[in-house]
Amino acid sequence: MFAVHLMAFYFTKLKEDQIKKVDRFLYHMRLSDETLLDIMARFQAEMQKGLGKDTNPTASVKMLPTFVRAIPDGSENGEFLSLDLGGSKFRVLKVQVSEEGKRNVQMESQFYPTPNEIIRGNGTELFEYVADCLADFMETKGLKQKKLPLGLTFSFPCRQTKLEEGVLLSWTKKFKARGVQDTDIVSSLSNAMRKHKDIDVDILALVNDTVGTMMTCAYDDPYCEVGVIIGTGTNACYMEDMSNIDLVEGDEGRMCINTEWGAFGDDGALEDIRTEFDRELDLGSLNPGKQLFEKMISGLYLGELVRLILLKMAKTGLLFGGEKSSALHIKGKIETRHVAAMERYKEGLANTREILTDLGLEPSEADCIAVQHVCTIVSFRSANLCAAALAAILTRLRENKKLVRLRTTVGMDGTLYKIHPQYPKRLHKVVRKLVPNCDVRFLLSESGSAKGAAMVTAVASRVQAQRKQIDKMLALFQLTPEQLVGVRDKMRVELEYGLKKDTHPLATVKMLPTYVRGMPDGTEKGKFLALDLGGTNFRVLLVKIRSGRRSVRMYNKIFAIPLEIMQGTGEELFDHIVQCIADFLDYMGLKGAQLPLGFTFSFPCRQASIDKGTLIEWTKGFKATDCEGEDVVDMLREAIKRRNEFDLDIVAVVNDTVGTMMTCGYEDRNCEIGLIAGTGSNMCYMEEMKNIELVEGNEGKMCINTEWGGFGDNGCLDDIRTQYDKEVDEGSLNPGKQRYEKMTSGMYLGEIVRQILIDLTKQGLLFRGQISERLRTRGIFETKFLSQIESDRLALLQVRGILQQLGLDSTCEDSIVVKEVCGAVSRRAAQLYGAGLAAIVEKKREDQGLEHLKITVGVDGTLYKLHPHFSRILQETVKELAPRCDVMFMLSEDGSGKGAALITAVAKRLQQARKDN
């Protein structure tokens, strides 16, 4: 028993001594946590350099865009071919992807050799060999009669400008075929395949093996957004935000970046980490000075590193009693599979003895322990370096997503990772230590990069098909120049109809005289009350106007109008209004004052004078009974009488559009048009009295409230109305009415978008085909969301945040489509506004007999003010459709409040002038 303990003690002591000896000899290869964090920071800096347009040319980590923009979503299906070229063998596969409710992939493959004379010979012969192998495979599998999409896994650094194109930057590993560098791989293969007249193959994707690995794993795990290969070579890819990729146009969505991290350190960034053995190995390689990080990590080099270390230790008498065999001097004699065998848990020492004996050495027990520890240090350093670079990528992903904690999956492949008994465990442990705020799952790629190429091709096919369907829908909202001219000309016809006595009853654009006969001239002064009713809020204002300096001061209070009042009786609505006025007068201490009042009433009214307005019909959700056909000024006076607390001098009933024009006219005498682009849509302008057949007299001008929201109610816009416009109209409070308004105004644009999103989801093009309950809710998609989503400053991550508030779990790709839909709907609205306005300015130019008209348009409304692109598109459209009109746009400051007071003031001034005359 004592002898057994003694032997165990001796062996333990021997092991400790040998380990210490090797540790001292290779201390430079043992990397501390601080060093790994430093390497991680260096790699982050290199990634940033590679992504920048100006810094990329000098970056060692090339960060190549792959043009792979989406990962599998499970809806892919079809038959695909895949080629995998890049390792010691070349593989051809047929991949059948079927949906069937569960993700299902079936594969048939065949390996073909890659002889040295082919991979180091002429480039043309290499691609002809690949094409021959493909033709042979298709013949064997009976595929020659089919037209099939193909994905090519090509495991070498390529610069891509699209998914199906890639220019070889440099060969790596053992490949050295001449005449291929700086040429397009896909073109070369396509040319070679043309010689086989009996096969019809369409190369849809050129994929790096690392990207293939990520895509394979992403098919099984949607969280997978990183791919890492640790095999003959080493590399990593990940999904990067487009906004960070300077090398590719566009900021929307994400794209897979092939880091080509094997070249990390080629610029000297890792010189303090590299050892004499790394330098010696590099000098003896096919590509000295290149792929320095890869040469410290990958399977092609680890065995050689071990050999160089053992040779040096033998030379210095630290191993084999100073004896060296001739085999130990031969490059490549120790391979990575030997390193893996020597590190096996139980049989490792026995394997070590056997391998060393095969090399013509006579190792002692101590030598075997020492050699095994050399292998451990070399492979551990490899795992450490890989972990540091991978941790940098995970940190970047987490920061891109602005998360405190990241949940993600890394797809893994490569012979070293697969066959080395300790490697995966070591890598995982170090990664988790370096990025404690990332929950990382490591998923082994089952079928390698070739299945991945098929998945990229399947995704490309799916995206292509989906893109066609989405583009078809978006095309419905893209108005041609001819269609816009048509809208302008139809609007012009309707304007003329509305002005003429005979055609006015049938006109959809009502052209209502407002009896506002003058614009402010700067002499207006006094205190005025203004009321503003036009939406869910009601305002009461006190407006003080001072003449000379054109100064206006306002005091106002906002009151809510509950839905039950909006849709109750007329008496209840006007009693509520008077209650609000009473509260305001109390608040301002004006209970006894009899002030002139202007009433902004933003609904279609037929006026017989400036203080009489008969409501034609309610819009914007109002439905109060016993109001349509009644004079709203009389209804207000009756409600004041019922209250019997105060009296008011109601001078003018005003539309908000007219108020907008008056407010801007106070500042700019050229302003003769008012435009509202907000909850509702309307326009007014100063018309020559001689053209207004509905009002007596031919002298001077009068403001016409067009009420153009009804344009198209006679069917004249049916050629551009979509199914979505019809659905919104049918679900509205006033079906068949205000059709132009329903295509242009803030009250309806969000609802149009909602209808489109529902349709796209039903087609399986959005939100994984799942319609959330909230998306089914009418009015949930407010127009303010369009403004937010279309903001240039808003990253897709924030777009996803907005959609999540609506109960929509969107992917990055979903967010892009939603943004496109919002853009199409709001662009059409702005163009329709522009076409309508072009009709007005052209009419004014022709009426005045001018070659060129200069005019200002006063504008108000949240859509115009808050939407990031609406105003620009509207202005561009007017310029295109009315080129002989120089139109200025002026934002109105409170048209409905200040404007009402100014109209009242102008009316008072004109009244006084008539008295004086």
mmCIF file of all heavy atoms in Angstrom, residues 687-727:
data_model
loop_
_atom_site.group_PDB
_atom_site.id
_atom_site.type_symbol
_atom_site.label_atom_id
_atom_site.label_comp_id
_atom_site.label_asym_id
_atom_site.label_seq_id
_atom_site.Cartn_x
_atom_site.Cartn_y
_atom_site.Cartn_z
ATOM 1 N N GLU A 687 -60.684 84.992 -54.087
ATOM 2 C CA GLU A 687 -61.190 84.873 -55.456
ATOM 3 C C GLU A 687 -61.769 86.207 -55.912
ATOM 4 O O GLU A 687 -62.312 86.967 -55.111
ATOM 5 C CB GLU A 687 -62.255 83.757 -55.495
ATOM 6 C CG GLU A 687 -62.928 83.519 -56.828
ATOM 7 C CD GLU A 687 -61.964 83.111 -57.942
ATOM 8 O OE1 GLU A 687 -61.405 84.018 -58.589
ATOM 9 O OE2 GLU A 687 -61.785 81.892 -58.156
ATOM 10 N N GLU A 688 -61.630 86.478 -57.192
ATOM 11 C CA GLU A 688 -62.250 87.684 -57.770
ATOM 12 C C GLU A 688 -63.773 87.550 -57.654
ATOM 13 O O GLU A 688 -64.340 86.513 -58.010
ATOM 14 C CB GLU A 688 -61.871 87.806 -59.252
ATOM 15 C CG GLU A 688 -60.379 87.834 -59.542
ATOM 16 C CD GLU A 688 -59.717 89.121 -59.081
ATOM 17 O OE1 GLU A 688 -60.411 90.169 -59.023
ATOM 18 O OE2 GLU A 688 -58.512 89.079 -58.744
ATOM 19 N N MET A 689 -64.423 88.634 -57.172
ATOM 20 C CA MET A 689 -65.883 88.605 -56.992
ATOM 21 C C MET A 689 -66.611 88.287 -58.297
ATOM 22 O O MET A 689 -67.641 87.606 -58.294
ATOM 23 C CB MET A 689 -66.381 89.950 -56.441
ATOM 24 C CG MET A 689 -66.168 90.111 -54.952
ATOM 25 S SD MET A 689 -67.231 89.037 -53.969
ATOM 26 C CE MET A 689 -68.847 89.711 -54.260
ATOM 27 N N LYS A 690 -66.066 88.739 -59.421
ATOM 28 C CA LYS A 690 -66.746 88.527 -60.707
ATOM 29 C C LYS A 690 -66.844 87.050 -61.080
ATOM 30 O O LYS A 690 -67.671 86.655 -61.902
ATOM 31 C CB LYS A 690 -66.029 89.293 -61.815
ATOM 32 C CG LYS A 690 -64.597 88.846 -62.049
ATOM 33 C CD LYS A 690 -63.916 89.693 -63.112
ATOM 34 C CE LYS A 690 -62.514 89.117 -63.371
ATOM 35 N NZ LYS A 690 -61.571 90.137 -63.757
ATOM 36 N N ASN A 691 -65.967 86.203 -60.442
ATOM 37 C CA ASN A 691 -66.001 84.761 -60.732
ATOM 38 C C ASN A 691 -66.946 83.990 -59.807
ATOM 39 O O ASN A 691 -67.173 82.794 -60.009
ATOM 40 C CB ASN A 691 -64.597 84.150 -60.608
ATOM 41 C CG ASN A 691 -63.643 84.699 -61.646
ATOM 42 O OD1 ASN A 691 -64.077 85.088 -62.731
ATOM 43 N ND2 ASN A 691 -62.362 84.732 -61.318
ATOM 44 N N ILE A 692 -67.466 84.684 -58.766
ATOM 45 C CA ILE A 692 -68.301 83.991 -57.773
ATOM 46 C C ILE A 692 -69.765 84.253 -58.101
ATOM 47 O O ILE A 692 -70.334 85.283 -57.722
ATOM 48 C CB ILE A 692 -67.968 84.467 -56.331
ATOM 49 C CG1 ILE A 692 -66.464 84.394 -56.065
ATOM 50 C CG2 ILE A 692 -68.724 83.627 -55.293
ATOM 51 C CD1 ILE A 692 -66.023 85.067 -54.772
ATOM 52 N N GLU A 693 -70.385 83.336 -58.811
ATOM 53 C CA GLU A 693 -71.768 83.550 -59.277
ATOM 54 C C GLU A 693 -72.785 83.434 -58.141
ATOM 55 O O GLU A 693 -73.927 83.857 -58.286
ATOM 56 C CB GLU A 693 -72.103 82.542 -60.385
ATOM 57 C CG GLU A 693 -71.301 82.775 -61.656
ATOM 58 C CD GLU A 693 -71.711 81.839 -62.788
ATOM 59 O OE1 GLU A 693 -72.696 81.086 -62.615
ATOM 60 O OE2 GLU A 693 -71.054 81.878 -63.845
ATOM 61 N N LEU A 694 -72.341 82.854 -57.010
ATOM 62 C CA LEU A 694 -73.283 82.628 -55.895
ATOM 63 C C LEU A 694 -73.518 83.889 -55.073
ATOM 64 O O LEU A 694 -74.430 83.926 -54.241
ATOM 65 C CB LEU A 694 -72.747 81.529 -54.968
ATOM 66 C CG LEU A 694 -72.474 80.164 -55.622
ATOM 67 C CD1 LEU A 694 -71.728 79.252 -54.655
ATOM 68 C CD2 LEU A 694 -73.779 79.506 -56.049
ATOM 69 N N VAL A 695 -72.706 84.933 -55.260
ATOM 70 C CA VAL A 695 -72.813 86.154 -54.453
ATOM 71 C C VAL A 695 -72.972 87.349 -55.395
ATOM 72 O O VAL A 695 -72.275 87.443 -56.420
ATOM 73 C CB VAL A 695 -71.548 86.334 -53.560
ATOM 74 C CG1 VAL A 695 -71.669 87.599 -52.719
ATOM 75 C CG2 VAL A 695 -71.358 85.115 -52.663
ATOM 76 N N GLU A 696 -73.866 88.227 -55.020
ATOM 77 C CA GLU A 696 -74.093 89.442 -55.814
ATOM 78 C C GLU A 696 -72.836 90.306 -55.815
ATOM 79 O O GLU A 696 -72.109 90.368 -54.843
ATOM 80 C CB GLU A 696 -75.234 90.260 -55.180
ATOM 81 C CG GLU A 696 -76.579 89.557 -55.167
ATOM 82 C CD GLU A 696 -77.334 89.766 -56.464
ATOM 83 O OE1 GLU A 696 -77.414 90.898 -56.940
ATOM 84 O OE2 GLU A 696 -77.825 88.754 -57.030
ATOM 85 N N GLY A 697 -72.621 91.031 -56.905
ATOM 86 C CA GLY A 697 -71.537 92.019 -56.980
ATOM 87 C C GLY A 697 -70.319 91.486 -57.698
ATOM 88 O O GLY A 697 -70.015 90.290 -57.640
ATOM 89 N N ASN A 698 -69.616 92.428 -58.380
ATOM 90 C CA ASN A 698 -68.441 92.039 -59.160
ATOM 91 C C ASN A 698 -67.168 92.728 -58.698
ATOM 92 O O ASN A 698 -66.094 92.494 -59.256
ATOM 93 C CB ASN A 698 -68.656 92.370 -60.651
ATOM 94 C CG ASN A 698 -69.654 91.408 -61.279
ATOM 95 O OD1 ASN A 698 -69.737 90.254 -60.871
ATOM 96 N ND2 ASN A 698 -70.425 91.904 -62.243
ATOM 97 N N GLU A 699 -67.301 93.623 -57.707
ATOM 98 C CA GLU A 699 -66.135 94.408 -57.290
ATOM 99 C C GLU A 699 -65.343 93.710 -56.191
ATOM 100 O O GLU A 699 -65.909 93.107 -55.275
ATOM 101 C CB GLU A 699 -66.591 95.784 -56.766
ATOM 102 C CG GLU A 699 -67.264 96.673 -57.816
ATOM 103 C CD GLU A 699 -66.370 96.905 -59.027
ATOM 104 O OE1 GLU A 699 -65.175 97.198 -58.823
ATOM 105 O OE2 GLU A 699 -66.851 96.758 -60.168
ATOM 106 N N GLY A 700 -64.027 93.819 -56.278
ATOM 107 C CA GLY A 700 -63.141 93.331 -55.211
ATOM 108 C C GLY A 700 -63.009 91.816 -55.175
ATOM 109 O O GLY A 700 -63.263 91.112 -56.145
ATOM 110 N N LYS A 701 -62.608 91.335 -53.994
ATOM 111 C CA LYS A 701 -62.348 89.895 -53.833
ATOM 112 C C LYS A 701 -63.100 89.369 -52.611
ATOM 113 O O LYS A 701 -63.489 90.141 -51.731
ATOM 114 C CB LYS A 701 -60.843 89.638 -53.608
ATOM 115 C CG LYS A 701 -59.962 89.991 -54.778
ATOM 116 C CD LYS A 701 -58.499 89.702 -54.421
ATOM 117 C CE LYS A 701 -57.573 90.016 -55.579
ATOM 118 N NZ LYS A 701 -56.169 89.743 -55.264
ATOM 119 N N MET A 702 -63.268 88.060 -52.571
ATOM 120 C CA MET A 702 -63.824 87.410 -51.384
ATOM 121 C C MET A 702 -63.090 86.097 -51.178
ATOM 122 O O MET A 702 -62.721 85.428 -52.154
ATOM 123 C CB MET A 702 -65.323 87.139 -51.553
ATOM 124 C CG MET A 702 -65.943 86.506 -50.307
ATOM 125 S SD MET A 702 -67.697 86.108 -50.498
ATOM 126 C CE MET A 702 -68.448 87.720 -50.390
ATOM 127 N N CYS A 703 -62.908 85.731 -49.927
ATOM 128 C CA CYS A 703 -62.249 84.451 -49.632
ATOM 129 C C CYS A 703 -63.235 83.307 -49.874
ATOM 130 O O CYS A 703 -64.366 83.351 -49.395
ATOM 131 C CB CYS A 703 -61.767 84.429 -48.193
ATOM 132 S SG CYS A 703 -60.977 82.853 -47.783
ATOM 133 N N ILE A 704 -62.773 82.308 -50.622
ATOM 134 C CA ILE A 704 -63.583 81.113 -50.887
ATOM 135 C C ILE A 704 -63.010 79.953 -50.073
ATOM 136 O O ILE A 704 -61.819 79.641 -50.155
ATOM 137 C CB ILE A 704 -63.546 80.748 -52.387
ATOM 138 C CG1 ILE A 704 -64.303 81.782 -53.210
ATOM 139 C CG2 ILE A 704 -64.113 79.347 -52.625
ATOM 140 C CD1 ILE A 704 -65.806 81.768 -53.025
ATOM 141 N N ASN A 705 -63.875 79.342 -49.274
ATOM 142 C CA ASN A 705 -63.516 78.125 -48.541
ATOM 143 C C ASN A 705 -63.863 76.952 -49.459
ATOM 144 O O ASN A 705 -65.027 76.626 -49.630
ATOM 145 C CB ASN A 705 -64.293 78.084 -47.222
ATOM 146 C CG ASN A 705 -64.258 76.702 -46.565
ATOM 147 O OD1 ASN A 705 -63.353 75.902 -46.826
ATOM 148 N ND2 ASN A 705 -65.248 76.436 -45.735
ATOM 149 N N THR A 706 -62.856 76.345 -50.037
ATOM 150 C CA THR A 706 -63.119 75.335 -51.074
ATOM 151 C C THR A 706 -63.823 74.097 -50.533
ATOM 152 O O THR A 706 -64.590 73.462 -51.235
ATOM 153 C CB THR A 706 -61.811 74.865 -51.743
ATOM 154 O OG1 THR A 706 -61.005 74.178 -50.772
ATOM 155 C CG2 THR A 706 -61.043 76.020 -52.354
ATOM 156 N N GLU A 707 -63.548 73.717 -49.274
ATOM 157 C CA GLU A 707 -64.000 72.429 -48.725
ATOM 158 C C GLU A 707 -63.636 71.292 -49.688
ATOM 159 O O GLU A 707 -64.468 70.468 -50.076
ATOM 160 C CB GLU A 707 -65.509 72.444 -48.424
ATOM 161 C CG GLU A 707 -65.881 73.241 -47.205
ATOM 162 C CD GLU A 707 -65.273 72.727 -45.894
ATOM 163 O OE1 GLU A 707 -64.892 71.543 -45.826
ATOM 164 O OE2 GLU A 707 -65.176 73.526 -44.935
ATOM 165 N N TRP A 708 -62.346 71.298 -50.058
ATOM 166 C CA TRP A 708 -61.904 70.342 -51.078
ATOM 167 C C TRP A 708 -61.821 68.895 -50.588
ATOM 168 O O TRP A 708 -61.579 67.978 -51.385
ATOM 169 C CB TRP A 708 -60.594 70.799 -51.718
ATOM 170 C CG TRP A 708 -59.327 70.628 -50.914
ATOM 171 C CD1 TRP A 708 -59.178 70.062 -49.688
ATOM 172 C CD2 TRP A 708 -58.014 71.006 -51.341
ATOM 173 N NE1 TRP A 708 -57.860 70.077 -49.303
ATOM 174 C CE2 TRP A 708 -57.112 70.654 -50.302
ATOM 175 C CE3 TRP A 708 -57.491 71.605 -52.477
ATOM 176 C CZ2 TRP A 708 -55.741 70.884 -50.369
ATOM 177 C CZ3 TRP A 708 -56.122 71.842 -52.545
ATOM 178 C CH2 TRP A 708 -55.267 71.488 -51.499
ATOM 179 N N GLY A 709 -62.081 68.661 -49.293
ATOM 180 C CA GLY A 709 -62.065 67.289 -48.769
ATOM 181 C C GLY A 709 -63.033 66.374 -49.501
ATOM 182 O O GLY A 709 -62.842 65.159 -49.578
ATOM 183 N N GLY A 710 -64.130 66.978 -50.080
ATOM 184 C CA GLY A 710 -65.135 66.191 -50.806
ATOM 185 C C GLY A 710 -64.751 65.897 -52.253
ATOM 186 O O GLY A 710 -65.500 65.218 -52.965
ATOM 187 N N PHE A 711 -63.601 66.426 -52.706
ATOM 188 C CA PHE A 711 -63.141 66.171 -54.075
ATOM 189 C C PHE A 711 -63.056 64.648 -54.283
ATOM 190 O O PHE A 711 -62.511 63.929 -53.469
ATOM 191 C CB PHE A 711 -61.756 66.826 -54.247
ATOM 192 C CG PHE A 711 -61.072 66.589 -55.565
ATOM 193 C CD1 PHE A 711 -61.781 66.619 -56.759
ATOM 194 C CD2 PHE A 711 -59.699 66.360 -55.613
ATOM 195 C CE1 PHE A 711 -61.129 66.425 -57.970
ATOM 196 C CE2 PHE A 711 -59.043 66.159 -56.815
ATOM 197 C CZ PHE A 711 -59.760 66.196 -58.002
ATOM 198 N N GLY A 712 -63.635 64.195 -55.374
ATOM 199 C CA GLY A 712 -63.607 62.744 -55.662
ATOM 200 C C GLY A 712 -64.845 62.012 -55.213
ATOM 201 O O GLY A 712 -65.008 60.824 -55.521
ATOM 202 N N ASP A 713 -65.734 62.697 -54.472
ATOM 203 C CA ASP A 713 -66.959 62.015 -54.018
ATOM 204 C C ASP A 713 -67.843 61.608 -55.195
ATOM 205 O O ASP A 713 -68.753 60.785 -55.045
ATOM 206 C CB ASP A 713 -67.759 62.923 -53.064
ATOM 207 C CG ASP A 713 -67.069 63.056 -51.692
ATOM 208 O OD1 ASP A 713 -65.970 62.488 -51.534
ATOM 209 O OD2 ASP A 713 -67.623 63.741 -50.812
ATOM 210 N N ASN A 714 -67.592 62.192 -56.387
ATOM 211 C CA ASN A 714 -68.360 61.835 -57.591
ATOM 212 C C ASN A 714 -67.688 60.718 -58.381
ATOM 213 O O ASN A 714 -68.102 60.393 -59.492
ATOM 214 C CB ASN A 714 -68.536 63.071 -58.485
ATOM 215 C CG ASN A 714 -67.186 63.652 -58.911
ATOM 216 O OD1 ASN A 714 -66.126 63.143 -58.527
ATOM 217 N ND2 ASN A 714 -67.218 64.711 -59.698
ATOM 218 N N GLY A 715 -66.600 60.134 -57.819
ATOM 219 C CA GLY A 715 -65.935 59.011 -58.487
ATOM 220 C C GLY A 715 -64.790 59.411 -59.397
ATOM 221 O O GLY A 715 -64.163 58.543 -60.019
ATOM 222 N N CYS A 716 -64.481 60.730 -59.476
ATOM 223 C CA CYS A 716 -63.444 61.152 -60.429
ATOM 224 C C CYS A 716 -62.030 60.734 -59.998
ATOM 225 O O CYS A 716 -61.089 60.812 -60.790
ATOM 226 C CB CYS A 716 -63.503 62.662 -60.682
ATOM 227 S SG CYS A 716 -63.010 63.671 -59.271
ATOM 228 N N LEU A 717 -61.856 60.268 -58.746
ATOM 229 C CA LEU A 717 -60.539 59.801 -58.299
ATOM 230 C C LEU A 717 -60.463 58.275 -58.168
ATOM 231 O O LEU A 717 -59.492 57.736 -57.632
ATOM 232 C CB LEU A 717 -60.180 60.429 -56.930
ATOM 233 C CG LEU A 717 -59.976 61.942 -56.901
ATOM 234 C CD1 LEU A 717 -59.659 62.412 -55.481
ATOM 235 C CD2 LEU A 717 -58.873 62.375 -57.848
ATOM 236 N N ASP A 718 -61.504 57.604 -58.658
ATOM 237 C CA ASP A 718 -61.556 56.147 -58.466
ATOM 238 C C ASP A 718 -60.377 55.423 -59.107
ATOM 239 O O ASP A 718 -60.008 54.329 -58.669
ATOM 240 C CB ASP A 718 -62.873 55.571 -59.012
ATOM 241 C CG ASP A 718 -64.035 55.854 -58.058
ATOM 242 O OD1 ASP A 718 -63.785 56.493 -57.010
ATOM 243 O OD2 ASP A 718 -65.168 55.457 -58.363
ATOM 244 N N ASP A 719 -59.782 56.013 -60.144
ATOM 245 C CA ASP A 719 -58.659 55.343 -60.815
ATOM 246 C C ASP A 719 -57.420 55.265 -59.938
ATOM 247 O O ASP A 719 -56.546 54.425 -60.162
ATOM 248 C CB ASP A 719 -58.311 56.050 -62.141
ATOM 249 C CG ASP A 719 -57.934 57.514 -61.932
ATOM 250 O OD1 ASP A 719 -58.565 58.172 -61.074
ATOM 251 O OD2 ASP A 719 -57.002 58.001 -62.610
ATOM 252 N N ILE A 720 -57.331 56.138 -58.923
ATOM 253 C CA ILE A 720 -56.151 56.083 -58.041
ATOM 254 C C ILE A 720 -56.492 55.631 -56.613
ATOM 255 O O ILE A 720 -55.593 55.476 -55.784
ATOM 256 C CB ILE A 720 -55.391 57.444 -57.989
ATOM 257 C CG1 ILE A 720 -56.290 58.569 -57.464
ATOM 258 C CG2 ILE A 720 -54.784 57.790 -59.345
ATOM 259 C CD1 ILE A 720 -55.540 59.841 -57.118
ATOM 260 N N ARG A 721 -57.765 55.417 -56.345
ATOM 261 C CA ARG A 721 -58.132 54.907 -55.013
ATOM 262 C C ARG A 721 -57.801 53.411 -54.935
ATOM 263 O O ARG A 721 -58.026 52.668 -55.880
ATOM 264 C CB ARG A 721 -59.613 55.120 -54.719
ATOM 265 C CG ARG A 721 -59.959 56.553 -54.375
ATOM 266 C CD ARG A 721 -61.443 56.717 -54.168
ATOM 267 N NE ARG A 721 -61.871 56.301 -52.849
ATOM 268 C CZ ARG A 721 -62.942 55.547 -52.599
ATOM 269 N NH1 ARG A 721 -63.674 55.088 -53.575
ATOM 270 N NH2 ARG A 721 -63.263 55.243 -51.364
ATOM 271 N N THR A 722 -57.266 52.983 -53.813
ATOM 272 C CA THR A 722 -56.877 51.578 -53.635
ATOM 273 C C THR A 722 -57.924 50.850 -52.799
ATOM 274 O O THR A 722 -58.811 51.468 -52.208
ATOM 275 C CB THR A 722 -55.527 51.481 -52.902
ATOM 276 O OG1 THR A 722 -55.716 51.941 -51.544
ATOM 277 C CG2 THR A 722 -54.450 52.323 -53.567
ATOM 278 N N GLN A 723 -57.774 49.529 -52.714
ATOM 279 C CA GLN A 723 -58.684 48.737 -51.867
ATOM 280 C C GLN A 723 -58.618 49.212 -50.417
ATOM 281 O O GLN A 723 -59.597 49.152 -49.674
ATOM 282 C CB GLN A 723 -58.311 47.249 -51.942
ATOM 283 C CG GLN A 723 -56.962 46.935 -51.295
ATOM 284 C CD GLN A 723 -56.481 45.524 -51.556
ATOM 285 O OE1 GLN A 723 -55.976 45.229 -52.620
ATOM 286 N NE2 GLN A 723 -56.619 44.661 -50.569
ATOM 287 N N TYR A 724 -57.425 49.713 -50.017
ATOM 288 C CA TYR A 724 -57.234 50.147 -48.621
ATOM 289 C C TYR A 724 -57.993 51.444 -48.368
ATOM 290 O O TYR A 724 -58.574 51.636 -47.292
ATOM 291 C CB TYR A 724 -55.745 50.305 -48.320
ATOM 292 C CG TYR A 724 -54.944 49.089 -48.740
ATOM 293 C CD1 TYR A 724 -54.089 49.118 -49.836
ATOM 294 C CD2 TYR A 724 -55.072 47.880 -48.051
ATOM 295 C CE1 TYR A 724 -53.373 47.997 -50.239
ATOM 296 C CE2 TYR A 724 -54.370 46.742 -48.438
ATOM 297 C CZ TYR A 724 -53.520 46.809 -49.544
ATOM 298 O OH TYR A 724 -52.831 45.702 -49.937
ATOM 299 N N ASP A 725 -58.000 52.350 -49.370
ATOM 300 C CA ASP A 725 -58.785 53.588 -49.244
ATOM 301 C C ASP A 725 -60.262 53.244 -49.098
ATOM 302 O O ASP A 725 -60.975 53.847 -48.296
ATOM 303 C CB ASP A 725 -58.596 54.470 -50.483
ATOM 304 C CG ASP A 725 -57.159 54.949 -50.633
ATOM 305 O OD1 ASP A 725 -56.643 55.520 -49.674
ATOM 306 O OD2 ASP A 725 -56.563 54.727 -51.700
ATOM 307 N N LYS A 726 -60.707 52.248 -49.885
ATOM 308 C CA LYS A 726 -62.120 51.866 -49.852
ATOM 309 C C LYS A 726 -62.490 51.268 -48.499
ATOM 310 O O LYS A 726 -63.562 51.540 -47.949
ATOM 311 C CB LYS A 726 -62.433 50.880 -50.984
ATOM 312 C CG LYS A 726 -62.392 51.560 -52.353
ATOM 313 C CD LYS A 726 -62.372 50.581 -53.509
ATOM 314 C CE LYS A 726 -62.135 51.328 -54.826
ATOM 315 N NZ LYS A 726 -61.786 50.437 -55.928
ATOM 316 N N GLU A 727 -61.564 50.457 -47.925
ATOM 317 C CA GLU A 727 -61.832 49.853 -46.609
ATOM 318 C C GLU A 727 -61.919 50.926 -45.524
ATOM 319 O O GLU A 727 -62.794 50.875 -44.652
ATOM 320 C CB GLU A 727 -60.720 48.847 -46.264
ATOM 321 C CG GLU A 727 -60.916 47.500 -46.966
ATOM 322 C CD GLU A 727 -59.643 46.656 -46.985
ATOM 323 O OE1 GLU A 727 -58.650 47.047 -46.341
ATOM 324 O OE2 GLU A 727 -59.633 45.610 -47.666
#
